[in-house]
Amino acid sequence: MTLTADTPAAAAAPPSGRAIYFDGTCSTRNDVVVEAAAAGLQIFSSDRHLLDEWLYAELRRQAAPDGMLRLGRNGETLLARLEIRDAALASAIEDRAVTLDRGGAAERKLRRKVVILSLAAVVSLIFTAIIGVPVLATRVTPLIPVSVEQKLGSAVDSQIRATLDTKHLGAAFVCGSGANGAAGRAALDKLVGRLQAAAALPYSLRVDVVRRADFNAFALPGGHIYVFQGLIDRAQSPDELAGVLAHEIGHVAHRDGTRTVLQAAGLSFLFGMMLGDFVGGGAVVIAAKTVVRSSYSRRVETAADIYSVGLMHKVGGDPRALATILARVTADKDEGIKILADHPDTKDRVIAINAIAPAGATTPLLGAADWAALKQICAPSPAAAPAPAGGTASASGTTAVSGATSGKASASAPAPAGGTNAGGGQK
């Protein structure tokens, strides 16, 4: 049959099919018939009552499961929508609505873009955490004012003290506060004073000996150094102790603790530092654990060793003393495991220290009496141990310590005090 003027093509029935219609005023599902007319969609109820008309130009594709074309209207304040599963009707609508995203290609492209951007964001965060934060911390650390770094050290110190004092000793956790420890504290201050004067740091160093049996020492940001009782017990000369202190002063001078804290605690702590907030959140806790458990890189440890050798030579002490105590303690099976774990390549460090240390005569940094008193800095006070009748004055207490070390082994150290004098340190 041939079409004539009496039977135009436009007279053909428009594509139609069943759909689900939500009018936007309630959640009721309406089974409707949708016709794809020339200008837009006509939505009829099951009894052929016209419910609504949507122009093609105002149609908007909405996210939908596979096999469904879900449509809304641009600028529509109501949540009206059509859900069409009739493939033929959906194709006809896409043919007529030229502005409609055909086949959901634009939506799928948008989803891929979101996925790619999300992955890029994750990679960026990982890159920032692994590379960006350490680099940023290294660049920022030298710019931090001394007063800010000392405030950071104080905030970290409050957390560290609670972590270390596992026996809850309180004020007694720090050695040198009792009558027996007063002479030892004075001797320590003398030793630290000589090192501090030679180092000429912008910090006022504070060194505390605490009642911990480990062979360890570490420095906080701002110049606070903790020395464990186990280090005092194992040191056989004042220069050995001074060599370890000089190493930790090197970490202070190079601001290694501050840089490590910033690297470990991340951007939140860095921003907190810029704002002067060191106590908010858990960043300070992370920072405290970082300082206590930090294992510096070989480069950082080498720099601190070189600093120790130079500082010991400057004050006239034995520049090889650090290598001496490290070699001896590392040789101990139990202690050596901890030293090697905390400080990488300790044996190589000993060799390197001895190689760069200048030769020449040295003088012990403390006299025999001061060193004997320092070895007793953590000795129990008279209140904790029976005292002779009539009590003991401060000066006589110092004499008693010196006398004890000349004839018998120290109560807190495994080696005789006679082996900790100048002769023992110059071997």
Side-chain angles (χ1 to χ4, degrees):
M1 174 181 178
T2 302
L3 293 176
T4 64
D6 296 328
T7 57
S16 64
R18 306 195 68 82
I20 302 296
Y21 171 63
F22 296 88
D23 62 10
T25 61
C26 64
S27 60
T28 303
R29 293 164 50 99
N30 299 288
D31 293 323
V32 297
V33 174
V34 176
E35 290 186 357
L41 302 182
Q42 293 183 329
I43 305 170
F44 296 94
S45 64
S46 56
D47 58 0
R48 297 298 297 178
H49 175 69
L50 182 63
L51 300 177
D52 206 347
E53 290 184 281
W54 291 7
L55 297 177
Y56 290 125
E58 64 185 9
L59 295 182
R60 175 173 56 87
R61 181 187 292 272
Q62 296 180 351
D66 292 340
M68 175 190 291
L69 173 61
R70 179 176 287 154
L71 298 175
R73 298 165 75 180
N74 290 319
E76 175 67 72
T77 58
L78 299 176
L79 299 178
R81 68 181 187 271
L82 276 172
E83 295 181 352
I84 302 167
R85 292 186 179 274
D86 187 319
L89 175 60
S91 179
I93 294 173
E94 289 177 336
D95 289 340
R96 287 164 172 75
V98 294
T99 60
L100 195 64
D101 175 22
R102 186 175 181 87
E107 183 181 351
R108 288 193 296 272
K109 183 178 180 181
L110 178 62
R111 288 178 182 176
R112 286 195 297 269
K113 185 176 181 180
V114 170
V115 171
I116 292 173
L117 290 176
S118 299
L119 291 175
V122 172
V123 172
S124 176
L125 289 174
I126 295 174
F127 178 84
T128 300
I130 297 176
I131 299 177
V133 170
V135 170
L136 182 61
T138 300
R139 296 286 181 87
V140 169
T141 298
L143 305 178
I144 297 174
V146 170
S147 59
V148 175
E149 189 169 16
Q150 289 178 319
K151 188 175 180 181
L152 167 63
S154 298
V156 174
D157 180 48
S158 62
Q159 292 290 332
I160 284 181
R161 186 68 66 91
T163 301
L164 295 179
D165 186 12
T166 55
K167 296 182 180 179
H168 307 291
L169 299 177
F173 181 60
V174 178
C175 301
S177 56
N180 279 359
R185 179 75 241 188
L188 177 64
D189 290 341
K190 182 186 295 185
L191 182 63
V192 173
R194 294 189 63 178
L195 295 171
Q196 179 171 288
L201 297 175
Y203 307 93
S204 179
L205 293 176
R206 173 187 166 193
V207 179
D208 284 323
V209 180
V210 294
R211 301 181 192 279
R212 296 275 299 195
D214 316 65
F215 177 91
N216 200 9
F218 60 85
L220 303 184
H224 189 181
I225 298 174
Y226 276 98
V227 175
F228 288 12
Q229 182 181 353
L231 172 57
I232 302 292
D233 292 344
R234 289 161 179 80
Q236 294 184 2
S237 74
D239 285 26
E240 288 185 358
L241 174 59
V244 176
L245 288 174
H247 174 92
E248 296 304 327
I249 293 173
H251 285 310
V252 173
H254 301 152
R255 308 179 94 169
D256 295 330
T258 301
R259 185 179 60 256
T260 301
V261 165
L262 295 182
Q263 290 173 350
L267 292 175
S268 61
F269 197 83
L270 183 60
F271 293 142
M273 170 173 284
M274 293 177 179
L275 298 173
D277 176 20
F278 302 105
V279 295
V284 157
V285 177
I286 297 174
K289 292 181 179 179
T290 299
V291 172
V292 173
R293 301 174 183 174
S294 64
S295 178
Y296 290 122
S297 68
R298 184 181 219 176
R299 179 184 58 81
V300 172
E301 289 293 347
T302 298
D305 288 344
I306 294 173
Y307 187 95
S308 174
V309 170
L311 185 58
M312 289 294 291
H313 179 66
K314 189 174 182 179
V315 297
D318 181 5
R320 292 181 174 83
L322 176 60
T324 302
I325 190 170
L326 286 178
R328 185 176 65 255
V329 177
T330 304
D332 182 278
K333 182 178 180 181
D334 296 328
E335 289 295 338
I337 293 175
K338 176 169 177 55
I339 290 294
L340 289 172
D342 287 351
H343 298 82
D345 307 305
T346 304
K347 293 181 179 179
D348 292 340
R349 289 174 57 206
V350 169
I351 295 172
I353 292 170
N354 287 326
I356 65 174
T362 62
T363 303
L365 297 182
L366 288 179
D370 283 335
W371 176 236
L374 181 50
K375 291 286 286 185
Q376 292 292 322
I377 191 172
C378 293
S381 64
T392 303
S394 174
S396 62
T398 304
T399 304
V401 169
S402 302
T405 56
S406 63
K408 59 181 70 177
S410 166
S412 62
T420 62
N421 57 17
Q426 293 177 338
K427 291 181 180 178

